[in-house]
């Protein structure tokens, strides 16, 4: 059995202590994570978890089915609720908080920029936006950058850029290529264009008709993909080099090379969605670097600004040349505050030693999970690259996710709900990974219906 430790949440600047006074009852261990109203006699948090959850049910649109956890503060790879219960974060806000919670360089970048200039819109130039674009170009295949506010917006821009490229590059065609290829298990976002590229039907069907002209092919099917690309109807091929939401599934080098070759032959564009798998998550700065295959367009988002909303579309010069003034834009995208935060993240993650540490910890974690969990009959495979790791089960992963949460470990599912998606902050220590593996091992019996 795991030993239970008493919780001592950190004290943050500007907040009062969440520790109980000396004459109060002892803190709860992290096994006890049933949500109750906060003790109002405690200094610090003025509202309890139960009150927050009840208020949410009255005032927010019900688009999220949340577990009964309210997160109040965080430090490093740990999160705390209003009652002071501690959680080890292998969720990272869905692979967003690559530097964990409260990174001092990120805080400095945000606070200094907030004091200087927050927003001017894209009607004017701003220094952090230009500096971030310069850094992204310098460390990637790209020649130019377009900023958006999210991953789905980045993919929407890529859709528009691909169609405009076809009209601009092949003006002699009476019917320029306007269709797209996407793949099984793909996830590209929830706006009307991006969701049209997303394979899971339950994301699309409530909002049909979505954007027409998308063909879904089997992820990895070289013959079907090259045949359709050569039809001359395909504006762009969208895919994730490593699928996150789809179940931590990696492409093969042969598959990506075949797509690159077919696109070059036909004039179609190759778009890599690295919203989740990019920016150090796989142990490479960009996931496609592991294959030596480079796209015409790459979309980024999740970890880029360390928890603040940003998206980016990186393009070659030939794509950028087709886009003219006024054909796309955004009021908020690429603002000074967000871009300065993103510079602090990119500068840290792009260092060779940082990427090496992600690769090493990821390999260690996969080996550890295989050793501890691999003999369980419900575990089919442990897979992934760097610190995006999947554990495929032969049953629903939800009971295991719930049990781990009750022991203070936050994880999420992927695939068809039968894959554990483990995407911790990239700064996580080996000791924290070992603790996560122990919690997973202890909770495995719930898959048999046991306590």
């Amino acid at each position: 059995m795991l030993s239970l430790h008493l919780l001592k949440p950190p004290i943050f600047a500007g907040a009062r202590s969440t520790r109980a006074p000396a004459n109060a009852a002892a803190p709860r261990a992290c096994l006890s994570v049933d949500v109750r109203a906060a003790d109002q006699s405690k200094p610090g948090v003025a509202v309890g978890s139960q009150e927050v959850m009840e208020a949410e049910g009255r005032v927010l649109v019900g688009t999220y089915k949340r577990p009964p956890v309210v997160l109040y503060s965080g430090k490093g790879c740990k999160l705390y609720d209003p009652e002071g219960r501690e959680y080890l974060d292998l969720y990272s806000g869905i692979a967003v908080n690559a530097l964990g919670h409260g990174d001092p360089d990120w805080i400095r970048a945000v606070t200094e920029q907030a004091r200087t200039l927050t927003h001017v819109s894209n009607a004017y130039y701003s220094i952090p936006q230009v500096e971030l674009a310069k850094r992204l170009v310098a460390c990637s295949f790209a020649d130019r950058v377009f900023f958006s506010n999210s991953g789905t917006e980045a993919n929407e821009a890529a859709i528009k850029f691909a169609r405009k490229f076809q009209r601009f590059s092949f003006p002699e065609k009476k019917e320029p290529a306007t269709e797209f290829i996407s793949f099984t298990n793909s996830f590209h976002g929830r706006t009307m264009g991006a969701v049209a590229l997303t394979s899971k039907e339950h994301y699309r069907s409530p909002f049909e008709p979505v954007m027409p002209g998308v063909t879904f092919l089997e992820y990895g099917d070289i013959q079907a993909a090259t045949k359709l690309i050569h039809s001359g109807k395909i504006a762009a091929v969208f895919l994730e080099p490593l699928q996150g939401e789809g179940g931590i599934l990696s492409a093969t080098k042969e598959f990506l090379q075949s797509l690159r070759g077919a696109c070059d032959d036909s004039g179609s564009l190759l778009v890599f969605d690295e919203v989740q798998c990019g920016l150090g998550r796989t142990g490479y700065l960009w996931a496609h670097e592991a294959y030596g295959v480079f796209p015409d367009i790459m979309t980024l988002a999740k970890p880029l600004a360390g928890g603040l909303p940003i998206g980016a579309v990186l393009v070659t010069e030939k794509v950028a040349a087709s886009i003219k003034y006024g054909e796309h834009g955004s009021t908020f995208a690429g603002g000074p505050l967000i871009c300065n935060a993103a510079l602090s993240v990119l500068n840290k993650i792009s260092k060779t030693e940082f990427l090496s540490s992600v690769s090493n910890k990821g390999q260690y974690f996969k080996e550890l999970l295989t050793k501890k969990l691999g003999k369980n009959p419900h575990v089919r495979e442990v897979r992934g690259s760097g610190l995006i790791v999947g554990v495929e089960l032969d049953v629903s992963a939800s009971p295991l996710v719930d049990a781990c949460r009750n022991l203070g470990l936050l994880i999420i599912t992927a695939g068809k709900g039968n894959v554990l998606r483990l995407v911790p902050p990239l700064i996580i220590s080996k000791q924290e990974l070992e603790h996560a593996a122990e919690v997973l091992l202890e909770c495995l019996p719930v898959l048999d219906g046991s306590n």
Side-chain angles (χ1 to χ4, degrees):
M1 294 291 289
L2 295 175
S3 60
L4 300 178
H5 57 284
L6 297 182
L7 303 178
K8 296 182 178 179
I11 300 173
F12 299 94
R16 291 172 291 172
S17 170
T18 58
R19 298 181 183 177
N23 60 351
R28 296 184 182 93
C30 69
L31 179 62
S32 304
V33 296
D34 54 307
V35 178
R36 302 173 186 172
D39 181 352
Q40 299 301 324
S41 66
K42 288 184 180 182
V45 186
V47 63
S49 292
Q50 190 64 40
E51 186 178 348
V52 172
M53 290 186 288
E54 289 172 357
E56 187 269 359
R58 294 190 298 269
V59 298
L60 287 175
V61 176
T63 56
Y64 302 107
K65 185 179 180 181
R66 309 181 209 256
V69 174
V70 175
L71 297 175
Y72 167 71
S73 64
K75 188 67 176 176
C77 296
K78 303 291 179 60
L79 288 163
Y80 301 88
D81 72 7
E83 290 74 31
R85 302 180 186 93
E86 180 184 281
Y87 298 88
L88 178 59
D89 183 11
L90 264 69
Y91 191 126
S92 298
I94 316 181
V96 167
N97 298 311
L99 299 182
H101 307 279
D103 177 78
D105 295 325
W106 181 89
I107 290 174
R108 189 177 306 111
V110 171
T111 53
E112 289 179 356
Q113 189 60 48
R115 285 195 294 264
T116 304
L117 184 67
T118 299
H119 172 77
V120 294
S121 88
N122 283 296
Y124 300 94
Y125 298 94
S126 68
I127 294 171
Q129 183 183 87
V130 174
E131 290 301 313
L132 178 58
K134 285 165 58 178
R135 287 284 290 115
L136 287 168
V137 166
C139 65
S140 74
F141 71 94
D143 299 303
R144 294 178 185 266
V145 180
F146 172 83
F147 290 113
S148 65
N149 302 287
S150 65
T152 192
E153 288 182 49
N155 283 324
E156 289 285 339
I159 290 169
K160 291 178 69 175
F161 292 177
R163 283 192 169 171
K164 181 62 195 306
F165 170 82
Q166 295 297 334
R167 285 179 167 81
F168 177 84
S169 301
F170 305 100
E172 72 283 358
K173 282 190 176 182
K174 291 183 179 179
E175 295 184 9
T178 59
E179 298 183 13
F180 298 93
I181 292 175
S182 189
F183 295 93
T184 53
N185 304 308
S186 61
F187 183 85
H188 296 292
R190 295 177 184 270
T191 48
M192 292 301 276
V195 79
L197 296 169
T198 294
S199 66
K200 289 186 179 180
E201 189 174 345
H202 70 269
Y203 287 128
R204 301 194 315 273
S205 58
F207 311 105
E208 290 176 340
V210 295
M211 180 184 71
V214 178
T215 300
F216 292 102
L217 300 177
E218 190 70 28
Y219 189 68
D221 189 333
I222 294 174
Q223 184 176 357
T226 53
K227 181 180 179 180
L228 186 53
I229 293 168
H230 283 130
S231 71
K233 298 179 180 180
I234 302 303
V237 179
F238 277 75
L239 79 156
E240 302 149 272
L242 189 155
Q243 294 181 324
E245 170 84 8
I248 320 301
L249 302 168
S250 296
T252 65
K253 185 173 183 177
E254 183 185 12
F255 179 48
L256 297 186
Q257 285 179 330
S258 70
L259 295 177
R260 180 69 276 171
C263 287
D264 289 341
D265 293 341
S266 68
S268 301
L269 295 179
L270 183 59
V271 182
F272 285 166
D273 178 338
E274 294 213 13
V275 167
Q276 184 165 167
C277 64
L279 205 66
R281 177 59 60 182
T282 64
Y284 292 85
L285 186 58
W286 315 119
H288 65 265
E289 289 180 327
Y291 307 95
V293 178
F294 299 90
D296 302 296
I297 300 176
M298 177 171 67
T299 57
L300 305 174
K302 287 183 181 295
L304 182 54
L308 296 178
I310 192 173
V313 188
L314 277 61
V315 301
T316 59
E317 189 64 51
K318 71 175 184 179
V319 176
S322 68
I323 308 301
K324 304 304 179 186
Y325 294 131
E327 291 185 338
H328 198 48
S330 170
T331 297
F332 288 103
L337 179 68
I338 303 292
C339 286
N340 209 47
L343 274 166
S344 72
V345 174
L346 182 58
N347 287 338
K348 186 166 287 191
I349 288 179
S350 61
K351 292 179 179 177
T352 301
E353 58 270 26
F354 187 96
L355 294 169
S356 295
S357 75
V358 173
S359 182
N360 293 336
K361 287 184 291 189
Q363 185 61 35
Y364 176 74
F365 193 34
K366 282 199 298 181
E367 292 172 357
L368 186 64
L369 291 171
T370 300
K371 178 181 178 181
K372 288 186 175 294
L373 311 183
K375 295 180 181 179
N376 186 283
H378 292 297
V379 176
R380 288 179 173 174
E381 184 182 14
V382 178
R383 57 178 179 252
S385 179
L387 287 171
I388 178 168
V389 177
V391 181
E392 183 179 354
L393 308 174
D394 65 356
V395 293
S396 170
S398 293
L400 186 53
V401 171
D402 293 341
C404 287
R405 186 177 65 250
N406 289 339
L407 280 181
L409 176 66
L410 299 181
I411 55 178
I412 50 175
T413 63
K416 298 178 181 178
N418 65 320
V419 178
L420 297 174
R421 184 178 5 170
L422 308 173
V423 283
L426 303 183
I427 62 165
I428 196 167
S429 67
K430 286 187 175 181
Q431 292 75 19
E432 288 169 322
L433 292 173
E434 290 164 0
H435 178 69
E438 288 293 332
V439 173
L440 284 162
L441 178 62
E442 178 151 351
C443 291
L444 275 180
V446 301
L447 298 178
D448 296 315
S450 306
N451 289 330

